[in-house]
Amino acid sequence: MSFPFITEEEFPQAAENILKPFLRDHVVHEMISSRDGTALSTYYALQDHPRGTVVFVHGFCEFFGKYHELFWEYFTNGFNVFFVELRGHGLSERKVKNHELVYVESFKEYEEDVIALIQTLAEPKSPARPRILFAHSMGGCVGACLLEDCPSLFDKAVLSSPMLEMRFGNFNDREVKVINDVSKAVGLRKTPTPGAKGWTGEEDFEHSSCLSYARYHYQFHQREENESYRTWDATYAWARAGKEASERSIRNARNVVVPVLLCQAGKDNMVRPDGQNAFAEKALNTRIAAFPESRHEIFNADDESRRAFYKAMDEFLK
């Protein structure tokens, strides 16, 4: 089998005639608990005769709706598929009153959320192996840490634009370190980081991580409809935790033993390639697939980049 392909022009009609029926007829939404009792929103769809299991881990400020198409792609390609909205995202429980802010003290909390998804749902409902990780951006950092901390959890992994070295806007590395150190010393945890703007309710496709306007509009409309999808800014605690996890993932990359396809966007406005390259050099069996014309979200890029993206994944999964 191979991944079906929906062009930019076809997407609006496909969203109505393919994705909507798929979500209605095949996808189950279920709330579960992480190890510390945090309520997690999960989604899954099961095959009668699966060729394996795919576990999704999303990026910063994301939610299930951004992955409807990719979820359907893997399901159509014969896999059982599972998705967890990490704590503080989507319909999962939050630890801050302002639902537009993302807060954790450590990315190990996110790791526990993924493990909860696997132990509670994926293992009992889909023991079929191989078990494959698809993890994007922040989720790619979480996924890299999981590959290192739990080497037998997955058999293969696709890391899409993994957040292994963040971009911090106009701040250089020294300034970021000073900000992190000072914010920790004075006890800033759930306060927004500098530059936080909050949800404006206005589209800004030109400065987004997408090259597909149809897909950008599809997920933006969901944010308009549901305030739980309007996570938008980082807290100081999240920024510190993200930097620590990124550095840890590179430091421990030699512990990754499974095959990894690392998809790297050439026009990434969110993460730097240096961390991805350092990870790939240390990990035992990691291959970089480059998409030079894509922004951060390769699965939401132009038709040419997405064709190459699906081809790379299809070859990797054979």
Side-chain angles (χ1 to χ4, degrees):
M1 296 183 71
S2 61
F3 290 97
F5 188 77
I6 300 172
T7 67
E8 173 76 1
E9 183 179 359
E10 294 167 342
F11 182 80
Q13 186 174 357
E16 187 67 26
N17 297 335
I18 296 176
L19 298 185
K20 185 179 289 187
F22 164 67
L23 295 167
R24 181 191 64 226
D25 298 338
H26 294 283
V27 176
V28 177
H29 177 233
E30 185 170 335
M31 298 298 294
I32 65 171
S33 293
S34 196
R35 187 168 68 170
D36 65 355
T38 300
L40 302 174
S41 171
T42 71
Y43 301 84
Y44 60 89
L46 304 177
Q47 300 274 1
D48 291 332
H49 304 288
R51 58 180 287 201
T53 303
V54 178
V55 172
F56 286 80
V57 186
H58 64 78
F60 176 70
C61 289
E62 294 184 342
F63 54 99
F64 177 56
K66 280 191 85 166
Y67 291 82
H68 287 168
E69 181 182 12
L70 201 55
F71 207 66
W72 167 79
E73 292 275 1
Y74 271 97
F75 181 80
T76 303
N77 210 2
F79 292 96
N80 286 342
V81 284
F82 293 82
F83 191 102
V84 58
E85 291 180 320
L86 301 171
R87 61 185 62 209
H89 292 80
L91 303 180
S92 291
E93 184 179 346
R94 288 161 162 76
K95 307 295 184 180
V96 286
K97 293 181 180 179
N98 184 346
H99 283 196
E100 295 179 12
L101 296 178
V102 181
Y103 160 77
V104 287
E105 291 290 335
S106 169
F107 271 33
K108 286 188 177 294
E109 296 171 51
Y110 290 146
E111 290 186 61
E112 290 293 343
D113 293 348
V114 180
I115 291 171
L117 171 71
I118 293 171
Q119 292 181 342
T120 306
L121 294 176
E123 282 182 342
K125 293 182 180 296
S126 182
R129 306 291 288 239
R131 183 185 299 140
I132 297 157
L133 170 68
F134 181 94
H136 172 66
S137 192
M138 178 190 79
C141 179
V142 176
C145 292
L146 275 170
L147 294 174
E148 296 162 0
D149 295 341
C150 308
S152 63
L153 199 60
F154 297 101
D155 302 298
K156 287 187 174 184
V158 177
L159 303 183
S160 165
S161 304
M163 191 192 80
L164 304 182
E165 186 175 343
M166 287 185 280
R167 294 188 187 274
F168 289 95
N170 296 323
F171 296 103
N172 61 40
D173 290 343
R174 182 182 177 186
E175 291 169 331
V176 170
K177 184 179 187 308
V178 170
I179 291 171
N180 277 345
D181 290 345
V182 171
S183 66
K184 186 174 183 178
V186 300
L188 293 178
R189 297 168 56 238
K190 299 181 179 181
T191 304
T193 55
K197 298 178 181 178
W199 162 261
T200 66
E202 298 179 0
E203 289 192 357
D204 188 13
F205 173 66
E206 292 302 317
H207 296 97
S208 75
S209 297
C210 307
L211 285 172
S212 166
Y213 176 72
R215 291 166 175 82
Y216 173 86
H217 180 73
Y218 179 79
Q219 60 88 15
F220 191 89
H221 179 66
Q222 294 176 69
R223 292 188 192 270
E224 291 179 312
E225 294 290 306
N226 192 328
E227 64 179 9
S228 294
Y229 300 154
R230 297 176 192 168
T231 42
W232 209 251
D233 293 311
T235 56
Y236 277 100
W238 181 93
R240 292 193 298 266
K243 193 170 189 305
E244 187 278 329
S246 297
E247 293 171 350
R248 175 164 57 94
S249 69
I250 296 172
R251 186 169 60 248
N252 297 332
R254 288 188 176 88
N255 295 337
V256 178
V257 296
V258 301
V260 176
L261 177 68
L262 195 159
C263 299
Q264 188 175 80
K267 297 180 179 180
D268 200 318
N269 58 342
M270 302 298 292
V271 301
R272 295 174 178 171
D274 300 23
Q276 299 169 356
N277 296 336
F279 176 89
E281 287 175 7
K282 289 185 177 182
L284 295 176
N285 193 11
T286 294
R287 178 173 71 85
I288 292 180
F291 304 89
E293 298 304 315
S294 178
R295 294 179 188 171
H296 184 58
E297 296 177 11
I298 305 169
F299 53 92
N300 285 330
D302 58 284
D303 284 357
E304 183 178 354
S305 295
R306 283 186 296 103
R307 284 187 192 277
F309 175 66
Y310 284 120
K311 181 180 179 182
M313 287 196 300
D314 190 51
E315 293 174 351
F316 177 68
L317 296 175
K318 287 180 180 177

